[in-house]
Amino acid sequence: MFLCLVGTSIRQPRGGDMKKKLLIGLAASVEPDGRGSFRPRYVDTNTKPLLANARWKGFASALQAHFAEHLVILGGIELLPHLALPGDTRSIGNPFEQDGKILREVGSAYATCHGLVHNYGIEWEKLSYVETDRNTLGNIGSISHLLLARHCAIADAMLSSSHYHIARISMDMVASGLGSMMIVPAEAFWLATGPKGQRREMEEFLRNEFGNSQLTERVIAELNGAADKLNEQYNS
């Protein structure tokens, strides 16, 4: 016997539901930016485009627009050229030579926080970072421990990364018993800082980042919808 429920009511988020104590952000691979800090790498270690500039904009916007009180970045260890690193870089290990290059181990989570401070004006007091295994499962595996350490309920936290990452993250979150945590594409936080219907420059940035295509237009439309939900201006 099959039971079909037509028109089942699902509660829309109420005022304040989109404001959380804690935002957990997943780091992307990083590189020195040549200006005394870090930036996202264009490609990851497998030479696949990361498209993570908008992720950083979203992390910064989430704090600036008060969607979260504190941001914790999770990420693994990067091997970066020693001489190109900012002078105040926190070193994971001593410099070493590999293939004729002098390298240092630097945490991508730390480097993301460093970049948010130096390039987006975020205060260090609103940031924390946790070094994890260098993959999504390593990031997800740290979340339960992080929530316990901060005495933070799942309902008081949300998780964020780039939009293309969300589907796989949600599968891992469910498998880890964290499926009830809100997951927000980072780009939506950034779009949410622009007035509804007046985000042309932001949308053009995303087109340049993602490439002009029908899929990009659909993605931008969905991100705008998510941004409107953050601002409680949209009912699904």
Side-chain angles (χ1 to χ4, degrees):
M1 178 179 178
F2 296 91
L3 178 63
C4 180
L5 299 179
V6 179
T8 301
S9 176
I10 299 177
R11 181 182 69 82
Q12 291 292 336
R14 298 170 301 195
D17 283 353
M18 297 302 180
K19 311 290 185 179
K20 302 293 183 182
K21 291 181 180 178
L22 187 66
L23 174 62
I24 302 168
L26 304 189
S29 293
V30 297
E31 63 185 6
D33 66 3
R35 299 179 299 167
S37 191
F38 298 90
R39 64 188 175 200
R41 289 179 59 180
Y42 178 71
V43 297
D44 63 14
T45 53
N46 297 313
T47 67
K48 297 176 182 177
L50 277 168
L51 313 176
N53 288 311
R55 189 188 309 189
W56 281 33
K57 288 179 180 290
F59 290 162
S61 296
L63 292 174
Q64 292 164 341
H66 307 292
F67 289 112
E69 297 174 11
H70 194 86
L71 170 62
V72 179
I73 300 293
L74 309 180
I77 305 302
E78 303 276 339
L79 290 178
L80 299 175
H82 172 58
L83 294 179
L85 295 176
D88 59 342
T89 297
R90 178 181 177 274
S91 179
I92 306 300
N94 294 322
F96 64 95
E97 184 173 350
Q98 179 176 299
D99 298 328
K101 299 178 181 178
I102 305 299
L103 303 175
R104 266 169 67 186
E105 292 183 335
V106 176
S108 61
Y110 159 81
T112 300
C113 289
H114 193 286
L116 292 174
V117 169
H118 287 265
N119 296 320
Y120 292 91
I122 303 300
E123 299 173 355
W124 267 112
E125 292 74 17
K126 293 184 178 180
L127 300 169
S128 301
Y129 55 92
V130 177
E131 293 157 14
T132 68
D133 292 338
R134 198 181 173 192
N135 53 46
T136 302
L137 275 177
N139 295 161
I140 302 302
S142 302
I143 292 177
S144 294
H145 299 293
L146 175 63
L147 295 177
L148 285 173
R150 290 184 166 269
H151 306 287
C152 182
I154 290 178
D156 293 327
M158 54 186 163
L159 180 65
S160 187
S161 185
S162 296
H163 73 280
Y164 60 78
H165 207 184
I166 301 301
R168 184 159 56 89
I169 289 173
S170 64
M171 296 170 71
D172 291 337
M173 291 288 281
V174 170
S176 301
L178 297 166
S180 62
M181 183 181 292
M182 184 187 296
I183 306 176
V184 180
E187 300 93 340
F189 287 121
W190 180 49
L191 288 170
T193 63
K196 185 175 181 179
Q198 300 180 40
R199 301 169 180 154
R200 290 184 180 178
E201 290 186 7
M202 292 174 158
E203 292 171 359
E204 193 60 29
F205 177 91
L206 294 178
R207 289 185 186 96
N208 291 333
E209 183 94 339
F210 303 155
N212 281 298
S213 69
Q214 291 181 324
L215 178 59
T216 293
E217 294 306 311
R218 182 70 257 173
V219 167
I220 290 174
E222 292 297 328
L223 290 172
N224 271 316
D228 293 339
K229 288 187 78 70
L230 286 169
N231 287 329
E232 300 167 29
Q233 296 174 341
Y234 183 96
N235 289 333
S236 297

